[in-house]
Amino acid sequence: MTSRLSFSTIALGALLVTSVAPALAAPCGTGTFEAWLDDFKKEAAAKGISQNAIQAGLSGVTQDKAILTRDRSQQVFSQTFEQFSGRMVPPRLTRGSDMLKRYGSVLSRVEETYGVPPEILVAIWGLETDFGVNTGKFSTIRSLATLAYDCRRSDMFKAEMLDALRIVDRGDLTPQEMRGAWAGELGQTQFMPSSYIKFAVDFDNNGKRDLLHNVPDVLASTANFLKSYGWKKGKDWEPGSENFAVIQQWNKSEIYAKTIGYFATQLARAP
């Protein structure tokens, strides 16, 4: 996975922290995990999530101590732009060019709709999951429940957990399908559930917003995210530009954002 885990999880999730009535609050880290989860189920129902989604998503969920180990052992991102881009971009250029051609018609329709150029979308897609190859193997709901029960960022991950159940509730994905990165990101461009709820689109009109399996939905949803943060159609993405600031909404790391832009520029120049 990319360094986005340590940067965007906090930035995206923090937007959707919600207040909970004290009578339904599930306090972090107190009592057993099972008792906490029972309280959370009541909280989810009070938020309007169906019993079907609650049971499907939360039945049998247990803590994953390996998630806490990963959360506590995150290292500060220390690579230079030259080091990071040199490691990430050259091995993906040929495949990226192939993807531009393979999905050319879809990317053109996405650009017409959202104004985001194909090269930016393919660059993000490649850096996040190697074009959908490495989306992660962790159970999304189990990861979020583990992090929500832990008191370090409980409110943030409880909000993400609620949105994960909303994804189930509206029929986009089943809980069994929802597997991704250890901190709860899922899909081919690694959306937190809160971003999935806000920005995922059903671009091929098949009735589901599927960011795990459906490439048109993946590309259009990524473009929708960028447009929503102010992407300027036809403008460049060099550091200091308005569009570069939008890329930094995708990932706060300047090095990662510069690498997206560099990758996109290389793709635009490819024969």
Side-chain angles (χ1 to χ4, degrees):
M1 313 315 298
T2 70
S3 64
R4 188 170 178 233
L5 296 181
S6 58
F7 288 99
S8 66
T9 299
I10 294 174
L12 296 176
L15 295 175
L16 287 178
V17 174
T18 57
S19 60
V20 177
L24 291 170
C28 65
T30 59
T32 65
F33 176 80
E34 291 73 21
W36 175 88
L37 192 62
D38 284 341
D39 283 346
F40 180 84
K41 290 176 183 178
K42 297 172 187 174
E43 187 176 321
K47 295 284 188 181
I49 296 169
S50 74
Q51 284 298 324
N52 285 340
I54 291 168
Q55 290 304 312
L58 300 180
S59 291
V61 169
T62 58
Q63 266 188 300
D64 186 348
K65 297 295 180 65
I67 296 295
L68 296 179
T69 300
R70 286 174 176 265
D71 188 45
R72 284 159 169 69
S73 62
Q74 291 186 81
Q75 298 181 352
V76 175
F77 190 76
S78 59
Q79 294 182 64
T80 65
F81 164 70
E82 288 75 18
Q83 290 170 329
F84 185 68
S85 62
R87 178 169 65 87
M88 298 297 288
V89 174
R92 293 168 173 83
L93 264 176
T94 298
R95 185 100 192 277
S97 294
D98 290 344
M99 290 299 178
L100 281 173
K101 296 168 187 170
R102 183 183 304 182
Y103 294 101
S105 61
V106 172
L107 286 161
S108 293
R109 288 192 291 114
V110 170
E111 184 175 21
E112 183 178 345
T113 304
Y114 298 102
V116 181
E119 294 83 4
I120 287 288
L121 300 175
V122 170
I124 290 172
W125 190 20
L127 291 173
E128 291 292 348
T129 66
D130 285 324
F131 312 102
V133 173
N134 300 310
T135 56
K137 300 183 183 300
F138 292 92
S139 166
T140 298
I141 293 176
R142 187 185 186 196
S143 293
L144 294 172
T146 297
L147 292 166
Y149 177 66
D150 184 54
C151 287
R152 205 155 77 89
R153 288 171 289 169
S154 180
D155 285 347
M156 175 190 135
F157 283 107
K158 278 171 63 179
E160 294 293 343
M161 213 174 149
L162 289 166
D163 279 333
L165 293 177
R166 291 183 179 108
I167 292 169
V168 175
D169 214 357
R170 72 185 187 182
D172 291 337
L173 297 171
T174 67
Q176 293 72 31
E177 288 176 305
M178 294 171 69
R179 305 188 73 85
W182 67 264
E185 301 93 336
L186 72 162
Q188 295 192 29
T189 53
Q190 299 287 276
F191 274 34
M192 289 298 289
S194 56
S195 289
Y196 203 119
I197 289 293
K198 289 174 69 175
F199 302 115
V201 296
D202 176 17
F203 198 65
D204 64 353
N205 297 311
N206 72 346
K208 294 185 177 182
R209 286 150 283 203
D210 182 356
L211 305 192
L212 275 171
H213 314 102
N214 189 306
V215 172
D217 287 2
V218 169
L219 297 172
S221 299
T222 305
N224 186 37
F225 178 103
L226 297 172
K227 181 184 178 183
S228 296
Y229 279 101
W231 186 272
K232 304 298 182 189
K233 183 176 182 178
K235 302 295 184 180
D236 68 38
W237 51 79
E238 293 300 311
S241 67
E242 289 181 277
N243 283 341
F244 185 77
V246 173
I247 295 173
Q248 286 191 288
Q249 293 297 322
W250 182 269
N251 192 302
K252 301 297 183 185
S253 165
E254 183 175 358
I255 289 170
Y256 195 97
K258 285 176 67 176
T259 299
I260 291 173
Y262 172 71
F263 192 180
T265 298
Q266 296 304 305
L267 287 170
R269 292 173 178 170

